[in-house]
């Protein structure tokens, strides 16, 4: 199972969620607290300024409405200056009294008395004059860059709508201190939030561990279960929902262990049965795709498990052109599969069985494969053997019948014809006797009802004697060429049977050698075996027929072979006898260039080697 990264673990997620919830809650509380605090501080500050400005407004209004004697009373500017100087505080930066013609008639700024008499063009003053109501705003001081609260209070000669505007009191107060107090409170609050978050993270980790520890244990147990380890149990930390889940998980582990044991036992039984079967078994799902195939089936199909699984069975068996999966489900009789290639027969037989539920629903298909190549080959050889024996016996019997009928009808009285007819009858009889003897000999060799009478002989002399015998009795103009080594080699052989083998080979070489041709004899040594060679200059054998000349009754040219009196069993008997001696026999030939027969025998270098 893939390892969970740190940032994807549920432990980190729980802590992050817990911390984020706390942060969101603190942010909401902080924003609400900050806004409320800012509102309260500003309101208190503005109420304080207004209360003091109300006194100033009353005094200024009284002075502006007072009738003055030019000789005895101080001027309006002087009176207003004295009023404004008496109320100067740190909160109020400046107080200007402006008449209804936008002319400053008094200011509280002792350092800037030159403003008195000058016109002022402030937007808030115009708004207060035009609306005859109080206006206020917060703006930045052009000189200091600090925030100031500006208040414009109109001065009326009479209260109510009938009053006449006398002027405006312009107040500029230092509200920056309020924001400084707010920032200080916010810094304290932020520090408190940071401490709270640190404590929250620690508590979150501890709380998350109480939740994630049993979950982590269950995850480790699931990993162990995936590897087949059911002995490990999840620790139960409490009786809450997670504890109950851990108990249920342990119970599930026990049930899975029992089910796994049962399933594994059944699987081993099935695997043992499938692996020890000589027949191939293939199972499909309900759609016809292969889900199970045993090793014998793979060997029979000459395919691999990777390329056959999840493929349609009709395609794997080469039946997709003739049958669909539905056809195979209803198939009652076995189907023969022909995989023969290049004259090499290879036949399989497929039997189909449907897997069904009790309701009749088809779950899949079981196919059993049998290799019937040898069976088909044996049947074909049997049919061919019976046909060949029948043909080989019918030919001489037909000939004998014809001649005997002629003799019975009076030909025996003719002294010129009768001996010829009797000679032909005798020849055909001997031919049938040779055929029957060869068949009996092959039958004994097939049933292994014979024994080799082994003798330790010098092969050089043995081979030479056979060659001499044929060379002395040959009737055609053929030259024998001997390529025999001078060193003596000894073999343990049945001389009668090996003589029969060499006689058959040399007889065939003489039959097919033209006048003036050569027959070469020799043997060499290869890997502790004697390799014997008999080669002729005859008509040769086509390449596609060379490997079949050792089959029973096989002839390349049947008409010529029968005319020469052959039975077609000589080389078949030779192969059986050579293999009985522990050797091999084969032919090499080229059409029109002659044929060479090779066979091998185990040997000893000399007689002393046997005693040593």
């Amino acid at each position: 199972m893939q390892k969970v990264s740190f940032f994807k673990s549920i432990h980190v997620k729980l802590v992050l969620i817990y911390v984020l919830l706390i942060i969101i809650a603190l942010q909401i509380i902080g924003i609400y607290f900050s806004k409320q605090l800012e509102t309260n501080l500003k309101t208190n500050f503005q109420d304080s300024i207004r209360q003091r400005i109300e006194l100033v407004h009353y005094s200024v209004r009284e002075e502006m409405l007072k009738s003055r004697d030019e000789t005895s009373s101080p001027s309006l500017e002087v009176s207003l200056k004295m009023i404004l100087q008496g109320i100067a505080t740190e909160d109020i930066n400046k107080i200007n009294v402006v008449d209804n013609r936008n002319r400053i008639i008094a200011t509280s700024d002792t350092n800037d008395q030159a403003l008195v008499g000058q016109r002022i063009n402030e937007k808030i003053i115009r708004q207060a004059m035009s609306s005859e109501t109080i206006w206020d705003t917060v703006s930045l001081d052009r000189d200091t860059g600090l925030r100031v609260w500006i208040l414009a209070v109109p001065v009326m000669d009479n209260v109510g709508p009938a009053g006449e505007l006398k002027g405006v009191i312009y107040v500029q107060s230092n509200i920056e201190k309020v924001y400084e107090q707010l920032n200080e409170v916010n810094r304290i609050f932020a520090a408190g939030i940071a401490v709270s978050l640190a404590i929250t993270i620690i508590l979150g980790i501890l709380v998350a561990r109480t939740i994630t520890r049993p979950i982590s244990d269950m995850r480790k147990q699931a990993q162990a279960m995936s590897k087949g380890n059911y002995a490990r149990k999840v620790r139960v930390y409490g009786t809450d929902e997670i504890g109950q889940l851990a108990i249920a998980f342990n119970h599930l582990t026990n049930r899975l262990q029992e089910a796994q044991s049962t399933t594994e036992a059944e699987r081993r039984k099935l695997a043992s049965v499938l692996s020890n079967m000589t027949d191939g078994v293939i199972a499909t799902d309900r759609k016809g795709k292969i889900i199970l195939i045993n090793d014998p089936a793979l060997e029979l199909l000459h395919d691999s498990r990777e390329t056959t699984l999840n493929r349609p069975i009709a395609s794997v068996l080469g039946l997709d052109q003739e049958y669909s999966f539905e056809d195979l489900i209803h198939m009652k009789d076995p189907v023969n599969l022909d995989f023969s290639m290049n004259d090499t027969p290879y036949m399989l037989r497929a039997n189909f069985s449907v897997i069904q539920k009790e309701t009749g629903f088809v779950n899949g298909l079981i196919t059993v494969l049998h290799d019937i190549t040898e069976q088909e080959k044996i049947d074909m050889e049997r049919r061919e053997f019976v046909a060949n024996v029948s043909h080989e016996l019918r030919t001489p019997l037909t000939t004998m019948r014809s001649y005997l009928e002629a003799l019975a009808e009076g030909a025996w009285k003719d002294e010129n014809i009768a001996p010829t007819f009797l000679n032909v009858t005798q020849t055909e009889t001997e031919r049938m006797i040779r055929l029957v003897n060869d068949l009996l000999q092959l039958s004994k060799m097939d049933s292994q009802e014979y024994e080799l009478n082994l003798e330790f002989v010098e092969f050089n002399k043995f081979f030479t004697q056979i060659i001499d015998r044929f060379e002395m009795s040959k009737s055609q103009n053929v030259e024998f060429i001997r390529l025999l080594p001078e060193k003596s080699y000894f073999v343990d052989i049945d001389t009668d049977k090996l003589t029969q083998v060499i006689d058959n080979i040399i007889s065939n070489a003489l039959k097919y050698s033209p006048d003036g041709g050569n027959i070469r004899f020799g043997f060499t040594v290869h890997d502790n075996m004697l390799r014997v060679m008999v080669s002729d200059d005859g008509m040769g054998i086509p390449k596609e027929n060379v490997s079949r000349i050792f089959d029973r009754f096989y002839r390349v040219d049947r008409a010529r072979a029968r005319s020469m009196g052959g039975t077609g069993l000589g080389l078949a008997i030779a192969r059986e006898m050579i293999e009985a001696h522990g050797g091999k026999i084969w032919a090499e030939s080229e059409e029109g260039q002659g044929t060479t027969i090779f066979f091998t025998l185990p040997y000893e270098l000399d007689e002393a080697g046997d005693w040593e």
Side-chain angles (χ1 to χ4, degrees):
M1 187 178 292
Q2 186 178 4
K3 185 178 180 180
V4 180
S5 63
F6 176 76
F7 292 102
K8 292 182 179 180
S9 66
I10 190 172
H11 185 88
V12 174
K13 289 179 180 179
L14 285 174
V15 173
L16 288 177
I17 292 172
Y18 182 70
V19 171
L20 287 175
L21 289 175
I22 297 299
I23 289 175
I24 292 172
L26 291 175
Q27 287 294 327
I28 294 173
I29 294 172
I31 292 171
Y32 177 77
F33 175 77
S34 179
K35 289 295 183 183
Q36 290 297 321
L37 180 63
E38 180 182 357
T39 301
N40 291 337
L41 290 176
K42 287 174 66 176
T43 301
N44 293 337
F45 177 80
Q46 291 171 354
D47 290 343
S48 174
I49 298 298
R50 284 193 180 95
Q51 290 175 2
R52 283 180 282 178
I53 294 304
E54 286 179 359
L55 296 175
V56 174
H57 177 268
Y58 177 78
S59 301
V60 170
R61 179 173 177 276
E62 290 297 325
E63 290 296 329
M64 294 182 73
L65 294 178
K66 184 187 295 183
S67 59
R68 298 183 179 277
D69 187 356
E70 295 181 358
T71 58
S72 59
S73 300
S75 63
L76 177 61
E77 289 78 1
V78 174
S79 299
L80 293 176
K81 180 180 179 182
M82 294 175 63
I83 294 171
L84 296 180
Q85 288 177 351
I87 62 164
T89 61
E90 293 182 359
D91 296 335
I92 299 175
N93 295 337
K94 178 170 60 177
I95 300 176
N96 292 336
V97 179
V98 182
D99 61 12
N100 53 9
R101 291 178 294 175
N102 289 339
R103 186 171 60 86
I104 298 174
I105 57 177
T107 181
S108 63
D109 190 357
T110 57
N111 298 323
D112 200 9
Q113 291 296 321
L115 291 175
V116 177
Q118 296 183 9
R119 295 179 62 84
I120 186 171
N121 189 22
E122 291 286 346
K123 180 180 179 181
I124 192 170
I125 295 176
R126 295 197 304 272
Q127 290 173 340
M129 286 183 177
S130 62
S131 62
E132 296 181 353
T133 57
I134 299 173
W135 281 76
D136 68 301
T137 185
V138 177
S139 63
L140 294 176
D141 190 348
R142 288 189 293 270
D143 296 332
T144 62
L146 301 177
R147 280 170 289 195
V148 293
W149 182 53
I150 298 174
L151 180 66
V153 181
V155 179
M156 308 296 295
D157 63 348
N158 193 8
V159 179
E164 180 182 355
L165 180 67
K166 291 296 184 178
V168 174
I169 300 174
Y170 175 83
V171 182
Q172 188 181 90
S173 57
N174 184 15
I175 201 172
E176 184 69 28
K177 292 182 178 181
V178 174
Y179 288 99
E180 290 177 356
Q181 293 176 2
L182 182 63
N183 290 337
E184 183 65 24
V185 172
N186 286 337
R187 282 193 294 271
I188 296 172
F189 189 74
I193 289 176
V195 174
S196 300
L197 285 177
I199 298 173
T200 299
I201 291 173
I202 296 172
L203 293 176
I205 293 173
L206 296 176
V207 172
R209 285 188 64 185
T210 60
I211 300 174
T212 58
R213 182 180 296 174
I215 295 176
S216 178
D217 286 349
M218 284 185 273
R219 174 178 172 272
K220 292 178 181 178
Q221 174 61 13
Q223 290 176 333
M225 289 168 59
S226 66
K227 297 177 181 178
N229 180 14
Y230 296 94
R232 190 178 183 276
K233 302 299 179 183
V234 178
R235 183 179 176 184
V236 180
Y237 291 93
T239 58
D240 56 2
E241 290 84 351
I242 295 179
Q244 294 296 321
L245 177 61
I247 295 172
F249 198 88
N250 288 333
H251 180 66
L252 175 63
T253 301
N254 294 332
R255 296 295 300 273
L256 282 176
Q257 185 175 9
E258 296 173 0
Q260 178 70 15
S261 299
T262 304
T263 304
E264 184 65 19
E266 296 298 327
R267 187 192 67 79
R268 288 175 181 172
K269 292 179 183 178
L270 179 60
S272 178
V273 171
L274 292 178
S275 61
N276 291 316
M277 288 181 64
T278 57
D279 297 329
V281 178
I282 304 174
T284 72
D285 59 11
R286 59 187 181 86
K287 295 183 179 179
K289 293 185 178 180
I290 296 175
I291 57 175
L292 176 67
I293 182 169
N294 66 349
D295 292 337
L298 294 174
E299 294 177 2
L300 291 174
L301 295 173
H302 302 300
D303 213 335
S304 64
R305 197 177 305 275
E306 292 75 13
T307 57
T308 53
L309 290 178
N310 296 320
R311 283 182 57 196
I313 188 170
S315 174
V316 172
L317 298 180
L319 300 174
D320 49 345
Q321 299 296 328
E322 302 177 21
Y323 303 100
S324 64
F325 179 65
E326 288 73 16
D327 297 331
L328 297 180
I329 290 175
H330 299 93
M331 187 72 66
K332 302 298 182 183
D333 300 325
V335 177
N336 290 342
L337 310 176
D338 189 357
F339 294 102
S340 303
M341 294 180 62
N342 299 327
D343 297 331
T344 302
Y346 187 58
M347 300 285 293
L348 300 179
R349 178 168 293 164
N351 293 276
F352 302 98
S353 177
V354 180
I355 307 173
Q356 286 182 314
K357 291 184 176 180
E358 295 179 356
T359 58
F361 182 78
V362 176
N363 271 349
L365 187 69
I366 295 292
T367 304
V368 180
L369 300 178
H370 309 272
D371 186 355
I372 60 172
T373 304
E374 288 300 322
Q375 179 182 345
E376 290 292 320
K377 186 177 179 180
I378 290 171
D379 290 343
M380 183 178 65
E381 289 179 351
R382 178 181 55 80
R383 291 190 296 268
E384 185 177 354
F385 179 78
V386 172
N388 286 330
V389 170
S390 301
H391 186 78
E392 294 294 336
L393 290 175
R394 185 173 63 248
T395 300
L397 286 172
T398 302
T399 304
M400 291 173 61
R401 177 182 178 183
S402 300
Y403 281 92
L404 289 174
E405 286 178 351
L407 289 170
E409 291 175 358
W412 62 274
K413 298 178 181 180
D414 190 336
E415 296 180 355
N416 294 324
I417 297 176
T420 303
F421 282 13
L422 290 173
N423 185 40
V424 171
T425 303
Q426 183 179 3
T427 301
E428 294 299 325
T429 302
E430 291 174 353
R431 180 179 173 185
M432 284 192 296
I433 291 172
R434 287 197 306 271
L435 177 61
V436 172
N437 288 334
D438 288 344
L439 290 174
L440 290 174
Q441 188 172 8
L442 280 174
S443 176
K444 289 181 180 180
M445 299 185 77
D446 287 341
S447 60
Q448 296 183 352
E449 295 179 355
Y450 67 95
E451 293 181 359
L452 295 177
N453 298 318
L454 299 178
E455 298 180 36
F456 198 67
V457 299
E458 183 182 352
F459 188 77
N460 307 58
K461 294 179 179 180
F462 173 76
F463 195 24
T464 300
Q465 290 172 357
I466 297 175
I467 298 171
D468 290 342
R469 175 163 49 83
F470 275 93
E471 189 173 21
M472 292 176 61
S473 61
K474 67 180 180 178
S475 60
Q476 58 196 99
N477 184 20
V478 177
E479 182 179 356
F480 282 14
I481 300 174
R482 310 185 190 206
L483 305 172
L484 304 178
E486 296 180 359
K487 184 180 294 186
S488 297
Y489 294 91
F490 291 83
V491 292
D492 202 12
I493 60 174
D494 186 326
T495 55
D496 290 339
K497 289 183 170 53
L498 199 60
T499 299
Q500 184 181 354
V501 170
I502 298 176
D503 284 353
N504 282 329
I505 295 173
I506 297 177
S507 297
N508 287 336
L510 286 170
K511 287 177 185 178
Y512 297 107
S513 291
D515 287 340
N518 298 322
I519 297 179
R520 291 165 294 279
F521 305 91
F523 67 88
T524 55
V525 178
H526 295 279
D527 298 330
N528 296 326
M529 300 289 284
L530 290 184
R531 180 184 291 180
V532 184
M533 171 202 75
V534 178
S535 179
D536 62 58
D537 293 334
M539 66 183 69
I541 304 171
K543 185 177 181 180
E544 62 273 11
N545 297 330
V546 172
S547 61
R548 299 190 61 190
I549 65 173
F550 296 97
D551 293 344
R552 301 174 185 184
F553 293 108
Y554 183 80
R555 297 184 180 92
V556 178
D557 187 347
R558 292 181 179 271
R560 182 175 178 183
R562 287 198 184 93
S563 67
M564 294 180 176
T567 63
L569 298 175
L571 289 179
I573 294 173
R575 180 176 63 180
E576 298 290 341
M577 290 182 176
I578 292 296
E579 290 179 353
H581 281 80
K584 294 182 180 179
I585 187 169
W586 71 95
E588 293 181 2
S589 181
E590 185 176 350
E591 194 170 7
Q593 302 296 324
T595 302
T596 302
I597 304 294
F598 295 94
F599 66 87
T600 60
L601 292 171
Y603 77 95
E604 293 289 343
L605 186 61
D606 52 33
E607 288 187 77
D610 184 53
W611 293 102
E612 290 173 355

